[in-house]
Amino acid sequence: MTETLIGLVGQYSPSGNEEGAVRFLVERMQTLGFDRAFRDEAGNAVGMIGSGERQIVLLGHIDTVPGEIPVRVEDGILYGRGAVDAKGPLACFTDAAAACGAAAGWQLVVIGAVEEERDSKGAYFVVNQYKPEYAIIGEPNRWDRTALGYKGTAWTEIKIKQGQEHTASGGITACERAVDVWQTIKTFTDAYNADKARVFDQIQPSLQEMNSDHSDFEQWATLRVGVRLPPAFSPQEWYAKLEDLAVGAEVVHLGVPLAAHTCDKNTRLVRAVLAGIRGEGGTPAFVYKTGTADLNVVAPVWGCPALVYGPGDSALDHTPDERIEMGEYEKAVRVLTSALKTLIKDSKN
C-alpha cells in the first residue's frame, strides 16, 4: 500500500519543478488500473476511474516547498520533503481511488496540482475543467480528522515616499513613517482580535519584508505585508482598511487575494468520512486551519459539498524533519476508500 507514497516522495518537486513527480504519478496511476492518466495543459497529474457523469474530485498538490530531505524509511516512518505537505494526502487519494474502483454512473478524478505553494496555478486551471458532485482537497490534518475551513489571504506592498530633509531638521523620515504604519496596523488588528477566542476568527498580519533607499532628492521605504483573514473579513475589506490606516502611503495589491472558506458540516461527504474514521477505530474531529489551501480556490466555484482530508501532522509542514508514519497513511487510505464507496452506494438508494 505504501509504494505510491514512497515513490512520490522520492521525486523531489519544489514548485516550478514538478515534472518528475508528475511523470511518476501518471505512470503509477496507469499501473494501478486507472482508466486514464495524463499530464494536463497546466502540468497537473490527472487520473480518472470510470466514465459516469457524476464526479468525485480528489484534488491534492504535487509540489513542495524547497529544501530536499534524504528519503528514507526507519521504524515504519518515511522521511522526505513532501511526506506530509502534501504528497501523503495525494498518494492517499491515488491509492484509495484505485481501491474503490469504477462504479456505474460515477467518475473518480484524482489531481496532483502544481504550484500550490506559489500561486495555485494548477488549481486555477482545473476549477473550470470539472464539475464535481463532491470535492475532497488533500492537506495533512491526521488520519482521524477532517478540516472544514481555511483562512483567506492577501498580500500588499505599502510604499512611502517623501523629499529629502537635513538630518538636523527634526522631521520624520520615510523609515520612521513606515514603522508607524506597521504599528497602526498592529493596533487595529489587536483591537479587532481582542474578543475573538479562536485564531480562525482573527486577523493575522505579518510583516515579511522592509526596504528603504534614497536618491539625492527623495527617500522612500516599503513594507511587504501579508495577512490571514477570517470568514468575517474579506480581502476587499482588508484593502480598504489599509488605505485608511496607511494615510499618505501607496497601497499596492500583490498577487490574487483569496477569501476564507468554510465547508458545510452536515453533508453526505462529511458523514461518509466520519464513518470511515470510526470504522478504523478513531474518534473523528473537525479542525479549522489558519493557513490557506486550494480549497479556497475551487470550493466557491464548484459549490458542492467539500472537505479537506489527508494523513500527516501539519506541524511538520515545511520543516527539515518532515515525516509520516506508514501506519497512519494506511489507515487514511482505508478511511478514504470506505468513504468513497459509501458515497457511491448511498447515492443509489
Side-chain angles (χ1 to χ4, degrees), residues 62-324:
I62 201 164
D63 65 315
T64 69
V65 296
E68 191 166 5
I69 300 171
V71 178
R72 67 188 192 281
V73 179
E74 294 179 2
D75 300 322
I77 298 174
L78 171 65
Y79 295 81
R81 177 60 77 213
V84 174
D85 187 18
K87 292 180 178 181
L90 176 56
C92 173
F93 287 1
T94 304
D95 285 340
C100 179
W106 286 90
Q107 183 180 63
L108 302 180
V109 182
V110 178
I111 303 169
V114 297
E115 299 195 30
E116 189 270 353
E117 299 288 357
R118 283 184 177 175
D119 56 9
S120 291
K121 171 187 172 183
Y124 277 110
F125 177 80
V126 302
V127 72
N128 295 315
Q129 303 295 314
Y130 304 95
K131 295 182 178 179
E133 192 157 323
Y134 300 105
I136 304 175
I137 313 302
E139 292 288 347
N141 288 296
R142 300 205 314 246
W143 75 273
D144 55 355
R145 305 194 307 182
T146 182
L148 295 180
Y150 277 74
K151 295 181 79 166
T153 186
W155 288 88
T156 53
E157 187 174 74
I158 300 172
K159 298 181 178 181
I160 298 164
K161 184 181 292 187
Q162 64 185 46
Q164 283 284 27
E165 295 181 356
H166 196 286
T167 55
S169 68
I172 298 175
T173 67
C175 290
E176 290 171 323
R177 287 179 60 198
V179 171
D180 287 345
V181 167
W182 173 246
Q183 289 301 324
T184 301
I185 292 171
K186 283 292 292 175
T187 298
F188 164 74
T189 57
D190 288 347
Y192 180 90
N193 296 337
D195 62 348
K196 311 291 191 304
R198 294 194 311 173
V199 176
F200 186 73
D201 297 317
Q202 298 175 5
I203 299 174
Q204 296 174 280
S206 60
L207 179 56
Q208 294 293 322
E209 192 175 302
M210 295 180 66
N211 289 293
S212 64
D213 206 345
H214 62 86
S215 66
D216 291 340
F217 299 103
E218 284 187 320
Q219 57 179 270
W220 56 87
T222 61
L223 306 175
R224 189 170 184 266
V225 177
V227 68
R228 298 292 183 179
L229 295 167
F233 215 97
S234 71
Q236 290 69 33
E237 289 174 303
W238 175 248
Y239 292 145
K241 177 55 67 173
L242 283 184
E243 294 286 353
D244 292 339
L245 298 175
V247 178
E250 180 186 4
V251 179
V252 179
H253 304 177
L254 303 176
V256 179
L258 286 171
H261 187 84
T262 54
C263 304
D264 186 353
K265 187 184 294 186
N266 186 27
T267 66
R268 281 182 173 177
L269 174 60
V270 171
R271 291 192 292 272
V273 173
L274 298 187
I277 293 170
R278 293 189 185 99
E280 286 296 313
T283 301
F286 297 118
V287 292
Y288 293 84
K289 305 303 288 288
T290 57
T292 305
D294 280 343
L295 173 79
N296 302 68
V297 175
V298 300
V301 178
W302 287 343
C304 63
L307 57 74
V308 180
Y309 183 74
D313 181 358
S314 60
L316 298 172
D317 288 5
H318 303 187
T319 69
D321 196 32
E322 194 170 356
R323 64 191 185 276
I324 190 169

